[in-house]
Each structure stands twice: as C-alpha cells, then as structure tokens.
Amino acid sequence: MSKKLSIKNRDEIIKTARKVKSFCRSGLDISKGVYKDNDELIADAIYISNYGEISSVRKAVKLVEDIFDIKIPLQIPVDIKKDLDEREQLKKDMIPRFQINHGKFYVEFA
C-alpha cells in the first residue's frame, strides 16, 4: 500500500484482525456470535490482507490460511518484506547444528 493509514483506520484494521484471531483460536465457535458463518470470517481475512504491514494482520491471515487450507495473498510493502526476510534468515542462522570434531581429546577431571 502506498497510501498511509490513518490512526483510526489502523485501529479498525487491528480490531478486525484481533476478532479474526480470537474466533479462530476459539475453535470457530459460531455460538459466540462473532461471525455467523465461515464466509464472513474469510471475507474479513481477505479485507485485512491488504494491510500486511501490520503484524497482527499477518498473524490473523496465517491462522485463517492454516485452518481452511486456502491461500490469501498478503499485500506487504517492499521495505517491510525485506525486514521480515532478514529476520527469518537470522532465525535460521541461530538454529544450533550438530557438529562433529575428529581428533584426540583429553578430558581431565579434578
């Protein structure tokens, strides 16, 4: 998105994302009254996917994708996408790997 979000619109998007996340985490319980059916949930997820620069939107869309086994394209600005990729690469680099050293080792116990 090239256009900046106003604070009011941003809060509305975040509130919708929280609503989607809580509904998904509650086991899609329609009796709670958040959504009447799954189509409303998916429609909200598609609507908020245009604001991928907000982290709670990314999390909410990922939850919906995992539960319904669908792909919803996220609109993430290039600079934020680059930061996310760098963060992901750092996480991958931090994972300890098994390393084998060959040779003679002397262990001394005092």
Side-chain angles (χ1 to χ4, degrees):
M1 298 242 39
S2 60
K3 187 176 158 185
K4 283 283 205 182
L5 276 173
S6 70
I7 293 174
K8 184 178 180 182
N9 288 346
R10 183 178 173 87
D11 288 344
E12 179 186 321
I13 298 296
I14 290 172
K15 185 189 289 186
T16 304
R18 285 182 182 158
K19 196 166 72 166
V20 168
K21 288 191 314 188
S22 71
F23 187 70
C24 288
R25 289 180 180 153
S26 72
L28 304 174
D29 188 5
I30 294 175
S31 67
K32 296 201 178 187
V34 179
Y35 291 104
K36 291 181 179 68
D37 59 6
N38 294 338
D39 293 335
E40 284 183 36
L41 173 71
I42 294 171
D44 268 356
I46 291 171
Y47 168 68
I48 64 174
S49 71
N50 293 319
Y51 305 97
E53 67 267 16
I54 304 171
S55 63
S56 53
V57 166
R58 293 190 299 268
K59 291 173 189 173
V61 170
K62 181 163 176 27
L63 269 174
V64 171
E65 286 179 341
D66 290 344
I67 289 173
F68 293 106
D69 197 28
I70 58 173
K71 180 70 178 145
I72 300 173
L74 274 170
Q75 304 297 322
I76 303 175
V78 175
D79 56 336
I80 293 176
K81 179 72 173 159
K82 183 180 173 189
D83 288 344
L84 290 172
D85 290 342
E86 287 175 3
R87 236 186 264 167
E88 186 65 31
Q89 187 60 40
L90 282 174
K91 282 183 184 177
K92 286 180 182 177
D93 291 344
M94 288 176 44
I95 296 174
R97 292 181 177 83
F98 184 68
Q99 182 178 2
I100 299 175
N101 293 323
H102 297 280
K104 294 182 180 180
F105 298 95
Y106 297 101
V107 180
E108 187 176 315
F109 297 97

